[in-house]
Amino acid sequence: MSSATNTQDKVWSVLELLRWTTSYFEEKGVDTARLDAECLLADALGIERLRLYIEFEKPVTPDERDRYRGLVRRRADERMPVALLLGKKEFWSLPLEVTSDVLVPRPETETLVEAALQATTEGPLEILDLGTGSGAVALALAKERPEARITASDVSAAALDVARRNAEKLELGSSLEFCCGDAFEPVAGRHFDVIVSNPPYLAESEATELAPELSHEPKQALFAGPEGTELLRRIAEEAGSLLNPGGWLGVELAPHQAETMMGWLLEAGFEDVIVHRDLTDRARVVSGRRPRTGG
Ligand SMILES: C[S@@+](CC[C@H](N)C(=O)[O-])C[C@H]1O[C@@H](n2cnc3c(N)ncnc32)[C@H](O)[C@@H]1O
């Protein structure tokens, strides 16, 4: 694969390329070396990843190898995430477009979708997804709750363009409304049955310790003040006034922030305040309800 003359003319099979790239990625410190090699090679060959397994012996053409080499280089040298190299990521079984204007949807965010589905039943719900990014959470809920009216908001107009394109491609656009602005500002005066949010929750002080891949995602999708809690706190303080009585709020956060967030929600008058764990058993979502009466 390298430019050394003795490897230039060699005909590489799928399996040989995968083996070579896996050890190259490992040397470069890429965590998911084999999986990433498979995803990139499948893309360069224009086939599904699992098909590689029945084409291990297939020779790779020079054009295919050139395409692959470009992807491998950017993954190893620039530490560009695979999803951004390919421009796509699956979330809740929905194929989503992703660009450097949005956070790449993470599997743990499916915990937020699951919690919202558990908390609701089918019907004409008004749902707000605050900080929608690629639209991942809003679109998953639109798929599962087709009668709901969903407002997807974000402070980034560029992210909203990606979310709109995803909604159109998935033919889910008719149940979604998009609005741009800071936190609850664009929906001031409105009321919702459900508010979901996966806000930025990393501390700015952590920035230098983070995986290099994160440098390719928008800072405003990742960081929220010195402790990472700026938006979490605003959500806890302001969401109650936008929820209908009995309305439900679910917020994704870092595991170590769960207790603090629970305290803020209780202070703000929420009840049924609980933690939802992700597939790795870490506290990932905190939810609560606005009381039906009083508060
Ligand atoms: C962690 S990303 C989540 C994206 C998407 N919901 C997901 O789960 O993949 C946070 C999103 O919140 C947006 N955001 C950051 N600060 C905001 C603010 N003050 N008001 C509204 N949205 C904000 C960012 O632009 C980003 O799209």
Side-chain angles (χ1 to χ4, degrees):
M1 263 287 286
S2 77
S3 55
T5 29
N6 60 344
T7 56
Q8 273 284 321
D9 304 326
K10 173 177 161 50
V11 176
W12 291 74
S13 72
V14 164
L15 185 58
E16 284 171 322
L17 274 185
L18 286 177
R19 285 191 176 140
W20 186 92
T21 318
T22 302
S23 63
Y24 180 60
F25 280 168
E26 280 167 357
E27 267 169 42
K28 291 278 186 173
V30 172
D31 280 347
T32 46
R34 173 66 185 230
L35 177 64
D36 288 8
E38 289 182 6
C39 291
L40 297 179
L41 186 55
D43 188 75
L45 300 180
I47 60 174
E48 292 293 319
R49 180 172 71 87
L50 291 181
R51 199 163 169 86
L52 294 172
Y53 284 78
I54 47 174
E55 305 215 336
F56 272 162
E57 302 310 323
K58 186 179 169 259
V60 175
T61 69
D63 280 354
E64 290 167 336
R65 214 174 84 201
D66 280 350
R67 269 204 303 280
Y68 181 56
R69 187 188 286 123
L71 294 168
V72 167
R73 227 178 244 150
R74 299 192 74 191
R75 180 75 191 101
D77 298 345
E78 298 171 27
R79 296 299 288 270
M80 172 85 80
V82 168
L84 290 179
L85 285 167
L86 305 185
K88 59 186 179 186
K89 177 76 184 179
E90 195 161 291
F91 180 83
W92 201 261
S93 299
L94 298 171
L96 299 181
E97 173 193 333
V98 290
T99 71
S100 53
D101 289 319
V102 298
L103 183 98
V104 175
R106 309 292 205 264
E108 57 267 28
T109 301
E110 295 191 347
T111 311
L112 177 60
V113 177
E114 274 159 15
L117 293 177
Q118 273 165 24
T120 56
T121 50
E122 193 48 85
L125 299 168
E126 285 281 350
I127 300 178
L128 171 66
D129 175 21
L130 179 71
T132 199
S134 64
V137 175
L139 291 165
L141 292 177
K143 181 180 164 201
E144 301 298 336
R145 293 281 181 263
E147 290 176 31
R149 285 200 349 191
I150 301 178
T151 303
S153 83
D154 205 290
V155 74
S156 159
L160 285 171
D161 285 341
V162 177
R164 265 192 211 98
R165 284 201 295 277
N166 278 324
E168 274 163 32
K169 275 187 221 139
L170 295 167
E171 298 182 354
L172 291 168
S174 58
S175 36
L176 268 90
E177 178 194 335
F178 296 93
C179 51
C180 191
D182 179 32
F184 293 113
E185 240 171 55
V187 291
R190 289 182 53 188
H191 288 94
F192 299 92
D193 303 300
V194 172
I195 298 177
V196 286
S197 185
N198 172 17
Y201 54 73
L202 296 180
E204 274 153 12
S205 55
E206 289 173 90
T208 51
E209 300 150 30
L210 297 170
E213 279 76 2
L214 292 183
S215 67
H216 296 277
E217 293 178 280
K219 286 202 169 33
Q220 68 186 0
L222 298 169
F223 299 104
E227 284 162 34
T229 49
E230 244 166 42
L231 205 51
L232 289 172
R233 177 150 215 163
R234 283 174 71 191
I235 292 170
E237 287 172 353
E238 296 172 32
S241 64
L242 283 100
L243 279 171
N244 288 321
W248 184 88
L249 169 71
V251 184
E252 178 172 331
L253 33 62
H256 69 274
Q257 296 164 334
E259 263 189 49
T260 307
M261 186 66 175
M262 289 174 86
W264 287 337
L265 288 184
L266 291 168
E267 261 173 45
F270 280 83
E271 53 188 32
D272 300 337
V273 175
I274 54 170
V275 168
H276 306 255
R277 296 187 165 271
D278 64 19
L279 286 177
T280 60
D281 202 31
R282 280 181 292 190
R284 184 57 63 188
V285 169
V286 167
S287 70
R289 267 189 199 282
R290 187 185 155 183
R292 277 176 209 285
T293 52

